[in-house]
Amino acid sequence: MTQNYEQQAEKTKELVAKRSDIEQQILHLESVLKQHGVDVVEDLVDNQGFPRAELDHYAIRQARSEMARLGYDLRELNKQIESELHLLHDLRQRENVHSKGVDRITVSWAKVQSVASGSPGDEAGLQSGDLIQQFGTIDSQTQEPLKMIAQKIQEWQNVATKICFTRDRKPMVTMLTPKTWEGRGLIGVHLVPM
């Protein structure tokens, strides 16, 4: 079935909403583990190899199992969203649609120096060498854009944020959701000015 731009945009929004729902479920499961005083990888046995008596092993294993399943679903959904965003971009170019939120500028102003494995930036598909053109509402016309990201990132915590960038001169778009994870910061991406 051939879709037009509006249909594709709606489909993409539904997928992003579904991703947000999965992320909320994962956050809830993390809080369940925290209530039991453990994390995702902490041993449930003592130093002699016996199950720790103070823990609800069933609830912890169930939460960990559900988190693993949801983590896989999230990774697959991110791949699907990326694919749908590419299709949306292609449709927009073909139909020459001028919608709200059109990028004002296509000048790269930051480069991805590194992306920590397992970070929100990694989940969004960013890679070392990507050239950032837009990060949420921040673009090359923003005064001190890197400093502005550092200030705004807290406001954008747990909010899907649009990132426009180029990779090997090919324009790309992804959604990055800043959030707490096992590493430093909320995105796990080191940006340097161009």
Side-chain angles (χ1 to χ4, degrees):
M1 177 179 136
T2 304
Q3 291 188 327
N4 64 24
Y5 179 84
E6 288 80 18
Q7 291 170 326
Q8 183 63 31
E10 192 58 38
K11 181 179 178 184
T12 305
K13 284 180 190 175
E14 289 171 6
L15 291 173
V16 170
K18 185 176 178 182
R19 178 176 64 184
S20 182
D21 181 53
I22 290 174
E23 289 172 339
Q24 289 303 315
Q25 291 178 54
I26 290 172
L27 287 173
H28 170 72
L29 291 168
E30 286 175 349
S31 71
V32 168
L33 291 178
K34 198 176 227 181
Q35 288 171 0
H36 289 287
V38 296
D39 58 22
V40 178
V41 295
E42 188 173 336
D43 283 335
L44 303 181
V45 294
D46 61 21
N47 57 3
Q48 295 177 344
F50 293 104
R52 291 170 48 193
E54 77 277 11
L55 299 178
D56 182 348
H57 292 266
Y58 177 77
I60 293 169
R61 287 183 186 265
Q62 191 171 17
R64 284 179 172 179
S65 174
E66 185 67 9
M67 283 180 72
R69 184 189 66 78
L70 288 170
Y72 175 80
D73 290 349
L74 185 62
R75 286 188 296 279
E76 292 302 308
L77 189 57
N78 278 333
K79 290 176 190 174
Q80 188 179 359
I81 289 170
E82 181 180 2
S83 173
E84 297 298 331
L85 285 170
H86 287 297
L87 181 57
L88 184 65
H89 180 72
D90 291 344
L91 284 170
R92 180 173 167 208
Q93 285 183 329
R94 267 190 249 134
E95 294 182 11
N96 198 19
V97 174
H98 299 287
S99 63
K100 293 180 183 175
V102 172
D103 302 332
R104 295 182 299 160
I105 274 302
T106 57
V107 175
S108 300
W109 46 270
K111 180 178 181 180
V112 176
Q113 184 76 24
S114 62
V115 181
S117 179
S119 69
D122 187 30
E123 289 175 2
L126 290 174
Q127 296 178 9
S128 179
D130 289 344
L131 303 178
I132 304 297
Q133 296 175 333
Q134 182 178 356
F135 194 111
T137 56
I138 299 168
D139 60 25
S140 64
Q141 294 181 347
T142 305
Q143 190 172 355
E144 299 183 345
L146 290 175
K147 193 174 188 179
M148 186 61 69
I149 288 175
Q151 292 172 359
K152 289 282 195 180
I153 206 77
Q154 293 295 327
E155 292 175 31
W156 295 339
Q157 188 170 353
N158 298 317
V159 176
T161 305
K162 179 181 172 183
I163 311 293
C164 298
F165 61 100
T166 59
R167 179 179 297 152
D168 300 325
R169 299 184 188 187
K170 180 181 175 189
M172 302 183 82
V173 177
T174 190
M175 298 299 285
L176 185 152
T177 304
K179 59 185 175 186
T180 54
W181 61 291
E182 294 178 1
R184 282 184 53 202
L186 295 176
I187 61 173
V189 176
H190 180 216
L191 298 174
V192 293
M194 296 276 295

